[in-house]
Amino acid sequence: MSDGLAASDPVGIDDLLERVRAGYRRIEPQEAHEAAEAGQALLVDIRYAALRERDGVIPGALVIERNELEWRLDPRGSHRLPEATGHGIRVVVVCNEGYASSLAAESLHRLGLRRATDLVGGFQAWRAAGLPVSAEGSR
C-alpha cells in the first residue's frame, strides 16, 4: 500500500472509512434529491427491513438489501436488476447514517461502477433535511 502499511497490517474502521471515502466524492442530501428528481442518479436504499418499517423510505429509491447489492447492480451479472444498465450509471447508496453506505459504494467501484457514491449522513440526514419520506408500504 502507498501509506507504508503491509496488506496484512490491521486497520481500524475509522481509518478504513477515511481511505475509502478519499476515493470518491460523497453527496449531500439536497444534491442527491435534485439528481434523482432530474433522472441523473439512482438512489439505492440498503437499510434492512426493520429500519425501513420504522422510519419509512425515500420515494422512488430502489431498495436492495446490503447482502444483495453487488449481485443486483453489476451490469454484467446474471442477477442484475433492469436498473443496472451499465457501468456509467450514477448510484447513490443510502444506509441509515452514512457508514455502511461508504463501504458499499467502494465495493461498487471495484465492480467498475466508478460513479457510485453514498449519501453523507444516510437516511437520517435525508429526513433531517426535510426531504420526502413515505411509509414503506406506500411506494
Side-chain angles (χ1 to χ4, degrees):
M1 292 184 185
S2 62
D3 59 6
L5 294 176
S8 61
D9 287 342
V11 61
I13 189 61
D14 293 331
D15 289 336
L16 179 60
L17 281 171
E18 184 178 325
R19 291 178 192 185
V20 163
R21 290 171 175 168
Y24 63 92
R25 187 180 73 81
R26 301 178 77 208
I27 189 169
E28 296 287 338
Q30 187 62 44
E31 183 182 354
H33 179 256
E34 291 168 5
E37 288 289 307
Q40 299 170 349
L42 176 65
L43 301 181
V44 178
D45 188 341
I46 63 169
R47 295 174 303 140
Y48 53 89
L51 288 176
R52 295 190 315 268
E53 291 168 9
R54 182 188 78 189
D55 295 337
V57 295
I58 298 170
L62 185 63
V63 173
I64 305 175
E65 294 218 11
R66 177 63 190 97
N67 63 327
E68 296 183 3
L69 184 69
E70 293 82 357
W71 284 268
R72 299 299 186 205
L73 291 182
D74 179 3
R76 293 189 232 169
S78 58
H79 299 296
R80 73 183 172 276
L81 293 173
E83 291 85 353
T85 57
H87 288 95
I89 62 172
R90 185 178 186 198
V91 175
V92 178
V93 183
V94 180
C95 69
N96 195 48
E97 295 180 342
Y99 297 102
S101 57
S102 294
L103 299 175
E106 193 269 341
S107 182
L108 293 177
H109 277 241
R110 289 183 183 196
L111 289 177
L113 296 164
R114 296 289 177 214
R115 296 183 67 207
T117 187
D118 75 308
L119 186 66
V120 174
F123 179 85
Q124 297 306 322
W126 177 280
R127 186 170 63 178
L131 295 169
V133 173
S134 64
E136 184 182 21
S138 66
R139 281 178 295 141

